Amino acid sequence: MSPRTRLFAANWKMHMDPAETRRFAAAFLGDTRPEPGREVWFFPPAVSLTAAAEAFGGRSDVRIGAQDVHWEPKGAFTGATSIPLARAAGATAALVGHSERRHVFGETDAETGLKVRALGAAGLVPVLCVGERLAEREAGTTEAVVLRQLAAALDGVDADTLARLVVAYEPVWAIGTGKNATPADAAAVHRTIRADLTGRGAPPSGRILYGGSVNPKNAAHLLAESEIDGVLVGGASLEPASWGAILAAAG
Ligand code: PGA
């Protein structure tokens, strides 16, 4: 088992309006208690950040984060959410470089770097998502892709930001597909990421999450790997029952 504080992160994507967020929170707060060695982070859509922050407020094990942020603090960027806006709505973390941002919206490696730096400067926690596409895995370039994404996002990042950083390894072919990496395959990539982070001077307490079709059935197997410090979950985080089952499966 990992010596690091386990982190269960729920990426709600484009689901969960404010009322649904409050209902989820009420169920979650009724069914779970804070546990030592476990944190639970929720990434609602921007319009539900305030509802989430209010509804989960006060639970020491819960943190609220944005799914994406712009690196500029303000300006004419229609549709974007700045870090100060996200923070004012209750976010203290943000996903960066989720594969849907990269591959559906065309976010570049360089933009992930700007976002990580801006979050670091603002004192928020960047949750940097990396991962290869199916063709890249089949071509044997998984490590190279992940290392390239890490370099673009983290080269020159200051020690304070590195100390807060969370990395999520999410193979693109496993997201929302029902396929997931075997625990051993995921752990191998996690070791590569850990070595890269250590080489940058990141502390051993930094968490590396696995994401991609995590569900109540496979969560325990994945978390049995000492390199897997937690999970980033999309579909199975949308219902309090399946989310609770993932937390429970992890033991
Ligand atoms: P999924 O999504 O659990 O639905 O595969 C994970 C993610 O995109 O973070």
Side-chain angles (χ1 to χ4, degrees):
M1 212 223 242
S2 165
R4 291 171 280 273
T5 304
R6 279 214 175 134
L7 174 48
F8 294 80
N11 174 11
W12 284 350
K13 307 193 180 186
M14 204 164 71
H15 304 280
M16 305 291 267
D17 68 24
E20 290 166 332
T21 297
R22 287 198 184 87
R23 276 200 294 278
F24 186 109
F28 174 82
L29 296 173
D31 291 348
T32 66
R33 295 281 165 273
E35 282 193 12
R38 183 180 82 188
E39 292 174 23
V40 189
W41 296 9
F42 292 94
F43 294 86
V47 295
S48 297
L49 280 171
T50 302
E54 287 171 359
F56 289 105
R59 266 283 288 250
S60 57
D61 56 333
V62 172
R63 185 188 284 269
I64 305 301
Q67 294 175 12
D68 184 39
V69 287
H70 199 283
W71 56 88
E72 292 291 345
K74 59 185 171 183
F77 300 101
T78 301
T81 304
S82 71
I83 295 169
L85 288 173
R87 178 164 45 200
T92 57
L95 302 180
V96 176
H98 186 276
S99 78
E100 286 143 25
R101 297 306 317 172
R102 293 178 191 267
H103 302 304
V104 180
F105 295 98
E107 179 169 319
T108 64
D109 283 349
E111 287 168 344
T112 64
L114 292 170
K115 292 177 182 187
V116 168
R117 280 166 186 72
L119 285 162
L124 275 72
V125 178
V127 179
L128 174 65
C129 305
V130 297
E132 82 287 2
R133 305 174 94 160
L134 184 58
E136 293 164 334
R137 171 156 287 258
E138 288 173 348
T141 57
T142 296
E143 282 211 351
V145 168
V146 167
L147 290 172
R148 186 202 76 219
Q149 292 171 334
L150 289 171
L154 301 179
D155 277 359
V157 161
D158 66 84
D160 281 354
T161 304
L162 275 180
R164 285 198 300 276
L165 176 79
V166 174
V167 174
Y169 169 55
E170 297 203 304
V172 180
W173 49 270
I175 296 178
T177 57
K179 297 178 192 162
N180 60 309
T182 64
D185 282 348
V189 181
H190 281 225
R191 276 191 287 277
T192 299
I193 296 170
R194 175 70 59 195
D196 181 85
L197 295 180
T198 303
R200 295 175 186 281
S205 54
R207 271 82 58 91
I208 304 175
L209 316 182
Y210 172 79
S213 296
V214 174
N215 61 39
K217 287 205 177 75
N218 59 31
H221 298 294
L222 290 159
L223 287 161
E225 296 286 341
S226 61
E227 291 84 359
I228 300 180
D229 306 314
V231 286
L232 177 57
V233 185
S237 73
L238 293 172
E239 293 292 336
S242 56
W243 183 236
I246 289 173
L247 300 186

